[in-house]
Amino acid sequence: MAKRWRNSVVAALTVLVACACHVEHASDNHAKQQIFYQSSLGDPRTFNPILSIDGSSNDAFGDVFDSIVRMNELTTLPEPGLAESWDIAPDQKSITFHLRHGIKWSDGAPFTSHDVAFTMKVMYDKRVPNSMRSILTIDGKPIEVETPDDYTVVMRLPRPFAPLLYSIGASIIPAHILEPVYKAGHFNQAWNINTPPRDLVGLGQFIMTRYVQSQLLQYAANPNFWMRDENGGPLPRLRGQTTLIVSDLNAAYLKFLAGQLDVYTPRPEEVVALKERAKELNLTVASNGVDTGELFFSFNRNPNHYVVNGHRDPRLDWFTDSNFLRAIAHAIDKQGMINLCFHGLAVPAYGMVSPANKLFYDPNLTDYEYDLKKSAEMLEAAGYHMARDGVRVDPHGHPIVFNLMTNTGVPVRDQMCAMFKQDLATLGIKVNYRPLEFTTMVEKLDSNFDWDCVLIGFGGGGVEPNNAANVLRSSGDLHIWYPDQKTPATPWEAEIDKLLEQGTAEMDVQKRVPYYWRIQEIIHDQLPVMETVRQMRFTAYRNTLKNFQPTVWGVYHREYIEFTPD
C-alpha cells in the first residue's frame, strides 16, 4: 500500500533536528563508507514478510529476504532467483524448480527445498492472514508442493495457471527458525517490530542490524548472500544501507538537498528545480515514466461497520448506490489536480491498470468527465435533493455527511482531498476531512473498518494483473471496500472472481487480455474505487552512484549498486 500525508514545515524541521540528535549523521562519506542512504515515509508494522500488507513494512525487509523467481525490472520478464532453472510439464499442470546449491541463510544454515515448502504451507494456512493466498489459490484449491530432494521443488497445479512465474515471487522464510514457532501456534506474533533486528534470518543481500522507531533502519551486507557478479565476485557491492524514516516529504527533500540521502523521488513541484540544480548538486534526475500503480478514492461498503444490532447506517446505502457513486465520480476534477497538485506532471487515470502495462491496459475506457452540473442533476434524479442552501439529503431525509481520510506526509494528496471536499460542498455534501498517521489509517482499513472514504494509492504489483487478486477477489484481504467476504456480496464481484479464474487458466497471453479488460470495465462501471490521476515518476540520485538504474518498475539489479571511488 502506498503511504501519504504531511506535517507543517516546522514539524518537518523538527524531525530533521531530532534525527540529527539521535541518528548517526549522514555525512558526505557515503562513497567512502559504501553505505547507501534512502528514506521511507513510515515505520514498518511487521518484519514478517508473510503477514505484511503495507508498503512501509515491505520496504523495511525487502532486501533482507529473497524469492525463487524474480522479475527483471528492464524486461519485466521472470528470471531465476533462488531457483536457477525450472521445467514446465507438457500438460502445464506441474512445474519443477531446481534450486541453487550451496545457498546459506544469513545465520549460516543451509537453504533447502523444505524452506520453500514451509513458506507455501504457511501462506495457505487460513489462520495466517496474508495477501499471497488469494493470488496463489487456483479454483479454490492450493498448489501442492513436493520436495523429492533438498534442491528440487515440484509444484502440482489443479489446472494450468498462467501467472505462476510472476506470482511465485514471495519472500521465502526459514523453516529452521519459524517452523517451531508455527507448530506452537505463534506464527502471527513472530517477527513483529519488537523483534531484535539481528534475529531476522533471510536470504537477501542485506542483514538488518538496527531499528529505531520513527528514525531509521540500518543494514549490513549479508556475507552469505548467494549472488555473484560476472567475474565471480561477491555481491552486494555496497557495505550497507540506511533507511531514514521521514514522515514528511518536506523534510525528506531537505535531507536530500543536504546530502543526507542518496536517492529521492521528487514531487512534481520539485522536478524542475532539481533539474536546474543538477550540475551544481552533482545529481541526475531520471524520468521513469507513468506510475504503474493507482491513486484513488474509495468508499467503505462493509456492512460489518454500518449494520449494528439491526440498525443500518444510511451511509451504506449511499456508498452502494451506483447512481450516487457515478455522480461523485463526475465531481473529481482530475485536470485541476494535474495542474494544481502535480504541476502538469501527471495524466488522468481511467482504470485500475496503468498504461505502463502495455499488454493488459484497457485503452477503451472513457473517463467520468468533471462536470458539477451533471453531478447535481444525477443526484437529483436519484432522489438526493437539496433541502436547503448547502445541504443535500438522501431519499429518506438524512443529510449527506461523511468522513474522508488519507495519511499524513504527502502534501499533494492533502491538496487533492481539499479540492474534492470543496467540490462536494458545492453539491451540498459535507465532507469531514482528517489526515491520519499511516499506521492508524491502515488499522482502520484492515482491522476495525471505521472509515467512510479514503484517498489511497496501491502499487502496481508488476505486469501480471492476477497479482492484484488480493484486491480484486471478493475474499481478498485487500479488497479494500469490503474485504474477506465469505461469498461475493454482489453479482459483479462474483463475475470478477470468475474472470480471475478464467484469466489464469488461459495460457496464451493474448487470449488472456479480454478477461482483464472486462475486469477493468466492471471496476470502472461499479466504482468500488474512483481513479484520479497517475503521476509521471522521476528519480533523483547522486552521480557518485554507479550501476544505479531506476525504472518505473523498480531499480534494476540493486545488488550491483556501488559508489564510485573518491
Side-chain angles (χ1 to χ4, degrees), residues 65-72 77-87 95-100 103 105 111-120 123 132 136 143-147 150-155 157 163-173 203-204 225-227:
F65 300 97
D66 213 332
S67 56
I68 59 175
V69 179
R70 297 174 160 201
M71 186 191 81
N72 185 302
L77 295 174
E79 65 180 16
L82 300 171
E84 62 184 357
S85 64
W86 51 82
D87 303 313
I95 182 169
T96 300
F97 292 97
H98 304 285
L99 305 182
R100 299 177 190 273
I103 295 180
W105 290 93
F111 161 67
T112 72
S113 58
H114 180 62
D115 297 304
V116 179
F118 171 65
T119 301
M120 297 288 284
M123 287 193 304
M132 289 302 298
L136 291 173
I143 296 171
E144 296 180 1
V145 181
E146 299 173 5
T147 55
D150 284 350
Y151 302 106
T152 306
V153 177
V154 181
M155 296 188 182
L157 319 177
L164 182 64
L165 289 177
Y166 282 104
S167 301
I168 204 65
S171 296
I172 303 300
I173 55 176
L203 296 164
F225 186 51
W226 61 272
M227 281 188 72

Side-chain angles (χ1 to χ4, degrees), residues 251-326:
Y253 184 49
L254 293 175
K255 285 180 180 292
F256 180 67
L257 293 177
Q260 295 183 40
L261 297 173
D262 298 309
V263 64
Y264 176 67
T265 302
R267 293 171 288 181
E269 65 270 25
E270 298 160 347
V271 171
V272 172
L274 282 175
K275 285 184 174 181
E276 290 174 348
R277 298 186 63 189
K279 185 176 181 179
E280 169 199 347
L281 297 171
N282 192 28
L283 56 83
T284 295
V285 181
S287 175
N288 302 330
V290 66
D291 192 5
T292 62
E294 53 181 332
L295 177 60
F296 56 83
F297 291 102
S298 183
F299 286 94
N300 188 355
R301 303 185 182 205
N302 194 333
N304 296 319
H305 175 57
Y306 292 117
V307 181
V308 180
N309 296 325
H311 173 70
R312 183 181 175 95
D313 191 299
R315 287 173 293 180
L316 182 59
D317 295 322
W318 312 338
F319 302 159
T320 55
D321 181 354
S322 59
N323 293 313
F324 176 84
L325 295 172
R326 287 167 188 159

Side-chain angles (χ1 to χ4, degrees), residues 48-60:
N48 190 321
I50 303 297
L51 302 178
S52 173
I53 62 169
D54 68 287
S56 292
S57 298
N58 293 337
D59 290 345

Side-chain angles (χ1 to χ4, degrees), residues 296-500:
F296 56 83
F297 291 102
S298 183
F299 286 94
N300 188 355
R301 303 185 182 205
N302 194 333
N304 296 319
H305 175 57
Y306 292 117
V307 181
V308 180
N309 296 325
H311 173 70
R312 183 181 175 95
D313 191 299
R315 287 173 293 180
L316 182 59
D317 295 322
W318 312 338
F319 302 159
T320 55
D321 181 354
S322 59
N323 293 313
F324 176 84
L325 295 172
R326 287 167 188 159
I328 298 299
H330 282 290
I332 299 175
D333 185 3
K334 297 180 183 181
Q335 193 58 51
M337 292 174 178
I338 291 171
N339 295 339
L340 298 176
C341 306
F342 292 88
H343 295 252
L345 297 177
V347 295
Y350 303 160
M352 55 169 286
V353 175
S354 168
N357 191 338
K358 299 185 184 303
L359 180 60
F360 292 107
Y361 170 71
D362 185 351
N364 302 311
L365 299 178
T366 57
D367 203 7
Y368 291 89
E369 74 278 8
Y370 174 63
D371 188 336
L372 292 179
K373 181 180 178 182
K374 185 173 185 177
S375 293
E377 291 172 349
M378 293 177 71
L379 288 168
E380 286 290 335
Y384 299 88
H385 303 301
M386 293 294 289
R388 57 184 183 277
D389 188 36
V391 178
R392 189 176 294 274
V393 298
D394 69 11
H396 302 287
H398 302 109
I400 304 176
V401 181
F402 62 81
N403 300 320
L404 169 65
M405 66 179 183
T406 196
N407 67 300
T408 57
V410 186
V412 67
R413 293 188 181 128
D414 195 41
Q415 297 165 7
M416 293 171 69
C417 286
M419 292 178 65
F420 186 54
K421 174 181 177 176
Q422 182 176 3
D423 280 332
L424 292 190
T426 66
L427 297 173
I429 297 173
K430 181 179 180 181
V431 176
N432 299 314
Y433 169 54
R434 182 188 176 195
L436 299 175
E437 191 272 331
F438 179 68
T439 55
T440 301
M441 185 186 74
V442 172
E443 182 179 358
K444 287 180 175 290
L445 292 172
D446 72 2
S447 298
N448 60 41
F449 310 116
D450 182 16
W451 64 282
D452 292 335
C453 183
V454 63
L455 174 65
I456 194 169
F458 279 0
V463 297
E464 171 52 57
N466 189 68
N467 285 353
N470 53 350
V471 177
L472 295 170
R473 198 182 299 276
S474 61
S475 59
D477 62 334
L478 289 181
H479 194 71
I480 184 170
W481 56 94
Y482 181 8
D484 300 312
Q485 297 176 26
K486 302 301 181 185
T487 57
T490 63
W492 60 266
E493 285 171 294
E495 183 181 357
I496 289 177
D497 288 354
K498 182 178 180 181
L499 288 165
L500 286 169

Side-chain angles (χ1 to χ4, degrees), residues 134 164 193 417 517:
S134 295
L164 182 64
I193 58 171
C417 286
W517 281 15

